[in-house]
Amino acid sequence: MTAPGTGRLTTADLVEGWRRAGVREGMALIVHSSLSSLGRVEGGAAAVVASLREAVGPGGTVAAPTFTTDTVRDPAPGHTGPPGPELAELRAGVPLFHPGLPSATGAVAEALRALPESLRSTHPQVSVAAVGAHAREVTARRSLGFAVGRESPFGALHDLGGHVLLVGVGHDRNTFLHYAETFAPNRRLKLRRFPMAIQGERVWIEAPDVADDNGTHFPVVGREFEEWAGIREVLVGSAPCRLLPVRDLIPFAVRRLTELLAADGPGAA
């Protein structure tokens, strides 16, 4: 229960909240979260991770996006051709991805990544950290092109019959809508650019992916899916939370994104 005299949420409070949201033992979850949205939490982000692990039990899996798009990125993405000395120096300062590289995806995701037993996928910009029964299966997948598509941790979570848990955030943070868009025939596209070490040589890789939504269609598709599927919003602390079954979400989102992108017309992205 809430810690006496502190008004802080305890781990037990959080577990009870996840249960009310629909989290059950054995589930594979990917959690998109805002720690501050919960209110005051006894033990902070580490306690949130502990509560999620307790809620899914030893047979379950908890994953979180640990993206490094603000760190492992080209400082001049529009530049073509060989770099001059100034740009070459800037690019040389961009770190190579490694499992211990901190993520800016949120305090809860970073707390999960930092656990000694946590595993992390290896895409330089779009990694996922996971703990639990299927952590190795989730984090083993990687595709440099379409980094959130079929051959990514998101594809593995789909295959596991996973769920998305949104904690105090909206569908603009729901990466599974990017996953859905990879299957849309009229998907929006962008290029990712990042450094990698290949056979001992540092090289810059350019790879296609679905483009950012920037709040255009994802909030609409997410809201419509919740209405269609009868998803209940539950308050955990101060945070509105929703639990979404991935295998139901994806076909719905592919259909609606295809329709919405067609209505935008060519070149709208």
Side-chain angles (χ1 to χ4, degrees):
M1 296 289 95
T2 305
T6 68
R8 292 178 180 267
L9 293 167
T10 65
T11 300
D13 293 327
L14 293 169
V15 172
E16 188 274 334
W18 310 140
R19 290 271 182 261
R20 286 189 288 107
V23 176
R24 298 291 178 261
E25 290 199 4
M27 277 186 172
L29 295 179
I30 187 160
V31 182
H32 297 271
S33 60
S34 162
L35 176 63
S36 63
S37 71
L38 288 161
R40 295 188 294 172
V41 176
E42 190 75 37
V48 176
V49 173
S51 71
L52 290 163
R53 298 182 72 181
E54 182 176 339
V56 301
T61 305
V62 179
T66 49
F67 298 168
T68 50
T69 49
D70 291 339
T71 306
V72 185
R73 64 182 178 88
D74 190 350
H79 180 85
T80 59
E86 184 176 344
L87 178 53
E89 183 176 354
L90 286 173
R91 284 182 173 171
V94 176
L96 293 172
F97 175 83
H98 58 86
L101 188 67
S103 167
T105 320
V108 173
E110 179 61 9
L112 189 150
R113 181 205 65 79
L115 289 172
E117 65 273 34
S118 178
L119 300 177
R120 191 178 188 183
S121 64
T122 59
H123 191 282
Q125 291 183 339
V126 193
S127 65
V128 168
V131 292
H134 295 284
R136 189 166 300 280
E137 183 178 347
V138 168
T139 58
R141 291 198 193 179
R142 184 188 77 174
S143 173
L144 294 180
F146 296 97
V148 297
R150 187 74 190 88
E151 295 305 318
S152 74
F154 297 92
L157 285 161
H158 175 275
D159 292 349
L160 288 167
H163 288 72
V164 181
L165 181 62
L166 300 177
V167 180
V169 299
H171 285 282
D172 56 332
R173 295 272 296 277
N174 182 358
T175 307
F176 259 107
L177 292 177
H178 287 294
Y179 175 84
E181 188 168 345
T182 67
F183 298 101
N186 47 355
R187 60 195 178 187
R188 299 163 289 184
L189 296 174
K190 70 177 181 183
L191 285 175
R192 294 186 181 277
R193 195 180 284 172
F194 43 81
M196 291 185 68
I198 298 178
Q199 296 181 342
E201 183 178 358
R202 180 185 171 101
V203 298
W204 281 85
I205 302 294
E206 195 172 82
D209 209 341
V210 287
D212 300 331
D213 180 69
N214 296 319
T216 304
H217 295 312
F218 287 2
V220 173
V221 173
R223 183 181 66 250
E224 290 180 352
F225 174 74
E226 290 182 24
E227 294 171 355
W228 174 82
I231 302 297
R232 294 184 310 123
E233 182 179 283
V234 171
L235 278 180
V236 179
S238 302
C241 300
R242 284 99 76 209
L243 183 71
L244 314 169
V246 169
R247 286 185 178 170
D248 292 338
L249 171 64
I250 298 309
F252 182 96
V254 172
R255 176 179 60 81
R256 285 297 291 131
L257 284 169
T258 299
E259 294 168 350
L260 292 167
L261 293 171
D264 288 343

